[in-house]
Every structure is written in structure tokens, then in C-alpha cells.
Amino acid sequence: MRQNSNIPKERGLDNTLNILKEGYLFIPNRMNLFNSHIFKTRIMGQKAICITGKEASKIFYNPDLFQRKGVAPKRIQKTLFGVNAIQGKDGLAHIKRKSLFMNILSQKEEEKIGRLVKEELIKSIDKWEHMGEVVLFREISEIICYVVCNWVGICITREEAKTRANDFLRMIYSFASVGPKYEKGKKARKSTERWIENIVEDVRNNKIKVGENSPLYKITFYKDTDNKLLDSKMVAIEVINTIRPIVAVSTYVVFAALALHTNPHCKEKLIKNEDNYYEIFVQEVRRFYPFTPFVVAKVKQNFLWNRYEFKKGDLVILDVYGINHDPQIWNEPEKFDPERFKNKEQDLFDFIPQGGGNPAITHRCPGEGVTIKITEVVLDFLLNNIDYHVKEQDLSYPLDKIPTLPRSGFIMSNIKRKK
Ligand code: HEM
């Protein structure tokens, strides 16, 4: 058979609108239809190759085969990532910048953030007891924002954390939108960049003192591959690349609360914490619930995979959501079952809710540890520190909306401190 002739191809001049319509299921729907691990389509006016499965993940995270420069559309850079930030770097420039993030997000710092979030949660109980109803998504995003800004080295009050959290959430929840919602995301990024840029300049001019171990200090005085400091705007962008995704953990926290609510049989196991149950429960939350739909890269050099010749410059989309629900990897993938992680060997390519490969070398997320830590801490709090009621509410999360979230944000009422 001739190369490339056996690859399913989606009809239509451009299928960008179908992504918006089908969201997380855009790639899985077509993989099922074509019974394939690969198909060709057209997205944003160009040819794109969608791939899925563990083997696809292995090639996608081979830095010799793929690059990120020039991949993220400007509309995503102007809301979610920031222009010219780490996500679009390759080779040495990427590895050097990545080492900065790996250093900032050490295990010790993950533990520290977890402790600080727990302390703030405990302090919130009195207020929550008097609130009647608490929307978990809102409250936890403000708590995380307060904790993380101060941990980074930017002092803010609990009151200010409310508006700042809102801006970080706008950057996260607007990038795939159009119209006013997208414009709000862009505005939120602009004003947050300006705010942090001014702080960075004050740190450089010695008007503000920050600890040498703080992420703000480390990023402000980090030297790039040219041995020069980053300009203050780029520092602000990478500081936002540290704070914003930690605020985004609020989404997994809400999914974890939902998982606890819909799987009450897990409560006893969590309380006993046998077999590291907190950890396996959170891993299952990251597998089962949708967050990252897919990741995108460009072919760096021609290569052959699955009888298909990938050509330099081709756009390739890896199906993260589909791989989390791939029946060839997961037994009964549509069942929420933390125990599946009990004896699972670590694999860098088959469980990739936050990207794959070795995070020091590939674009895999450096924040998995802190994501797991914060989610575990909040679960522990919900189980052991308070009693609460979950009234009838719309807990559905639309799969055609990227990123998604339970519609109600998880409303808790009648909150009481556990004696
Ligand atoms: C909230 C849950 C999170 C999800 C779903 C998530 C997901 C991801 C994904 C899919 C990638 C890109 C992988 C790729 O391009 O191949 C990524 C990269 C990244 N994430 Fe996360 N992440 C989360 C939390 C965090 C946290 C807590 C941090 C902490 C600072 C973080 C910082 C980053 C950074 C800096 C990158 C860029 C890495 C690079 O380009 O090398 N993320 N994340």
C-alpha cells in the first residue's frame, strides 16, 4: 500500500467550527468513526493530523520529531500562555527555561503550598458557617490565589485576591471563546501583566525586597541562554505562568468534590487512606474528568509512523482526553475507579492529563505534584474538617465547552465545623 493513502481524512474545507461544537469529543468521535489512531483534517485553514493512543503519545513527546515554536495561535498567547513564553520554546532555550520552573516547583515547595492552602481553609470555616451557601469553585480559587501570590513573593490581601483570582480564571476560561468573553480574557491578561511588571521593576530597583528563595526573585534574576536577564514583561509572563495554573487547580478540586459526592463508597477508604487512597483517588480524578482536551505541535523533521509520512511543518494534535479514556489503556474507562491506579506502573506516555514524557526535557507540565497536593489537601478538609450538605443543583459539565466545569461550581450549604 502506498504511504499516506490509508489515512482517514475528514471531509470539509475547515473543521475548526466542529472543534467548538464537539469540544473534548471532537477527536475521539472521529477515531471511533474511522476505527483508527490517526486521521487528517483541516483546522484554522491548515492541514492537521490528529493522533491518539500510547504509541502516538510516545512520538509526540520526542523532541527530535516535534517543535512548539510558532504553534500556539496568537489568540491563545494573548489570554492563556502569554506571548513568547515557555510553551513555545524548543531545544536548549526550552530546557533552560524549564529548569527554572522545575526548581521553583520542588517537592518542598509543593508541600509548603499544600500546608498554606490547608491553613487558609481552616481559617475560612467560621465565615463559611455563616454564609448559608458556598460555591466551592469561587472560594477555593480565591484561597489558592491568595496563598500562591504571597508564596510567589507578591503580597496581596484576601480582599485583593478576589479580583485577582477572577482575572486568572478569565485567562483560563476565555481562550477558546469568541466575542466579549474572549475580550475579557485578553483584558485580564493585560492588566495582570502590567501589575506584575511594575512589581518586577520595583524589585530590580530595590524598591521592594523579596526573599532570594521566592519564585518572584528567581524569575526576576533568572538569566536566559544569552546570559541576560529577561525583560520585565517576560518576567511578568512567566510569573503568571506560575500563578495562573495553580489557581486553575480549582477546577480539579471541584471535580474531586463531585467525585466524592457521586462515589460515597470511597469516603471510608479515603478516611482510612489504605493503599495511598488519597493519591489514587486524585489520579483517577485527573484521568476521568475533562480538563486539557488536546495538545498541539509541529513536525520538526520528516518521519514515518503507522505507515504515514509526517512532513516537516505539519500540524499534529494529540488527543489527551481520548487517551485518558482509551479502552486499550484503561479497563472500563467510563467508570470512576481509583483502584485502577493501585498497582499501575508509572508510565510517561499512557497517563497524560498534564502532558507526557520527562517534564525536565519535554513540555510536560511541571505542576503535577502541586496539582495533586492541593487536590488531596482539599479532599482531606472536606472529609475531616467540615460537614456540609449538597443540595439539588446542576452538577453536569458540558463536554462541548473547553475548558469545562460543573455548571453550579459545586454549591455546599449548612456547613459546620467537625468537632
Ligand atoms: C490545573 C491543572 C493543570 C493542568 C490540567 C495542566 C496541564 C498542562 C498541559 C497539558 C501542559 C502542556 C503539555 C504539552 O504542551 O505537551 C502544561 C504545561 C505547563 N504547565 Fe500545567 N497543568 C496544570 C497545572 C499546572 C500547575 C499547578 C503549574 C504550576 C506552575 C503548571 C505549569 C505549567 C507550565 C509552566 C507549563 C509549560 C511547560 C513547558 O512548556 O515545558 N501547570 N500543563
Side-chain angles (χ1 to χ4, degrees):
M1 198 183 299
R2 259 192 324 117
Q3 278 164 16
N4 297 4
S5 62
N6 58 338
I7 300 303
K9 185 166 181 281
E10 188 180 20
R11 288 177 190 283
L13 282 178
D14 193 284
N15 293 294
T16 315
L17 276 179
N18 288 335
I19 295 197
L20 296 177
K21 262 196 260 159
E22 293 171 54
Y24 290 91
L25 295 177
F26 171 79
I27 305 178
N29 281 345
R30 282 151 188 77
M31 293 296 179
N32 286 339
L33 181 73
F34 298 133
N35 191 19
S36 173
H37 281 83
I38 179 167
F39 68 88
K40 254 194 292 189
T41 184
R42 284 190 74 80
I43 309 282
M44 289 186 298
Q46 52 182 318
K47 180 176 102 183
I49 302 148
C50 300
I51 55 175
T52 195
K54 177 174 165 176
E55 294 309 312
S57 161
K58 267 190 196 160
I59 54 151
F60 187 87
Y61 283 103
N62 178 342
D64 293 334
L65 302 181
F66 286 95
Q67 66 175 54
R68 299 300 178 97
K69 195 173 167 36
V71 172
K74 273 281 183 281
R75 67 177 347 264
I76 293 190
Q77 296 189 44
K78 285 183 177 167
T79 46
L80 190 66
F81 291 166
V83 176
N84 293 331
I86 178 164
Q87 294 89 347
K89 306 234 165 275
D90 295 303
L92 262 186
H94 174 247
I95 289 180
K96 176 124 199 312
R97 188 76 60 92
K98 193 65 177 283
S99 66
L100 172 67
F101 284 90
M102 301 298 285
N103 172 288
I104 287 171
L105 293 157
S106 66
Q107 204 182 339
K108 195 171 144 217
E109 296 302 314
E110 289 165 11
E111 299 282 337
K112 185 172 169 186
I113 294 172
R115 248 190 347 265
L116 293 168
V117 168
K118 183 71 190 275
E119 278 171 26
E120 277 306 300
L121 282 165
I122 302 279
K123 281 184 197 156
S124 309
I125 301 179
D126 282 345
K127 186 181 89 179
W128 288 13
E129 281 183 329
H130 290 100
M131 273 171 71
E133 282 187 352
V134 162
V135 179
L136 181 61
F137 183 63
R138 182 129 302 280
E139 292 291 316
I140 193 64
S141 60
E142 288 170 15
I143 287 178
I144 296 177
C145 181
Y146 171 73
V147 163
V148 172
C149 285
N150 285 292
W151 164 78
V152 152
I154 297 176
C155 296
I156 64 168
T157 61
R158 291 186 180 85
E159 203 45 42
E160 192 182 355
K162 292 183 183 179
T163 39
R164 298 297 180 196
N166 218 9
D167 281 345
F168 288 114
L169 293 177
R170 281 195 169 138
M171 293 178 217
I172 300 157
Y173 274 87
S174 68
F175 74 91
S177 309
V178 283
K181 192 169 172 191
Y182 174 71
E183 290 306 321
K184 279 186 183 164
K186 241 169 72 174
K187 205 168 141 213
R189 167 162 288 282
K190 263 196 188 154
S191 68
T192 311
E193 281 182 7
R194 224 176 298 123
W195 167 51
I196 297 182
E197 215 181 316
N198 286 336
I199 295 175
V200 170
E201 277 161 16
D202 284 351
V203 171
R204 285 190 169 158
N205 296 328
N206 251 329
K207 286 192 194 151
I208 297 181
K209 288 250 171 291
V210 281
E212 291 190 11
N213 271 328
S214 66
L216 178 60
Y217 185 95
K218 287 180 179 172
I219 304 175
T220 300
F221 295 106
Y222 159 84
K223 288 191 179 152
D224 219 5
T225 35
D226 57 5
N227 210 27
K228 288 196 182 128
L229 297 177
L230 302 176
D231 66 47
S232 50
K233 182 165 181 161
M234 187 46 75
V235 174
I237 288 172
E238 299 299 28
V239 168
I240 294 173
N241 269 330
T242 309
I243 303 172
R244 186 205 64 249
I246 310 186
V247 175
V249 176
S250 310
T251 302
Y252 275 144
V253 164
V254 168
F255 279 131
L258 175 62
L260 198 61
H261 179 62
T262 46
N263 299 277
H265 63 280
C266 293
K267 284 188 186 167
E268 209 47 42
K269 294 179 181 169
L270 279 164
I271 288 166
K272 284 193 188 142
N273 198 18
E274 277 166 14
D275 302 315
N276 252 341
Y277 208 80
Y278 273 92
E279 190 181 319
I280 62 176
F281 187 93
V282 174
Q283 294 296 53
E284 181 66 345
V285 167
R286 296 197 307 140
R287 182 198 71 81
F288 184 79
Y289 293 100
F291 203 163
T292 302
F294 40 73
V295 280
V296 186
K298 255 185 197 169
V299 175
K300 194 168 162 186
Q301 55 173 338
N302 296 1
F303 69 94
L304 199 66
W305 181 73
N306 256 357
R307 305 172 77 99
Y308 184 80
E309 191 183 13
F310 287 75
K311 297 229 172 67
K312 187 175 171 176
D314 281 350
L315 201 65
V316 176
I317 308 181
L318 179 72
D319 176 26
V320 170
Y321 181 74
I323 292 173
N324 274 345
H325 292 258
D326 181 345
Q328 288 181 16
I329 301 173
W330 313 101
N331 192 22
E332 293 191 80
E334 299 314 323
K335 186 173 159 197
F336 183 87
D337 179 15
E339 320 251 335
R340 68 174 81 247
F341 281 96
K342 214 156 94 182
N343 296 315
K344 185 176 178 339
E345 296 209 351
Q346 240 209 336
D347 186 302
L348 294 176
F349 301 102
D350 69 1
F351 177 48
I352 57 159
Q354 294 177 226
N358 173 350
I361 295 166
T362 70
H363 284 269
R364 189 187 191 118
C365 179
E368 287 187 285
V370 75
T371 300
I372 295 168
K373 186 82 226 169
I374 292 174
T375 314
E376 285 180 358
V377 158
V378 183
L379 270 175
D380 171 36
F381 172 79
L382 294 177
L383 279 165
N384 295 312
N385 296 95
I386 55 170
D387 286 314
Y388 57 94
H389 174 67
V390 182
K391 67 171 192 181
E392 276 299 307
Q393 57 189 285
D394 189 355
L395 288 166
S396 66
Y397 46 92
L399 286 178
D400 59 358
K401 191 170 161 282
I402 296 173
T404 187
L405 186 75
R407 284 191 170 94
S408 65
F410 202 83
I411 304 167
M412 307 187 306
S413 48
N414 204 14
I415 295 172
K416 295 266 177 301
R417 186 189 298 270
K418 262 193 177 151
K419 298 289 176 224

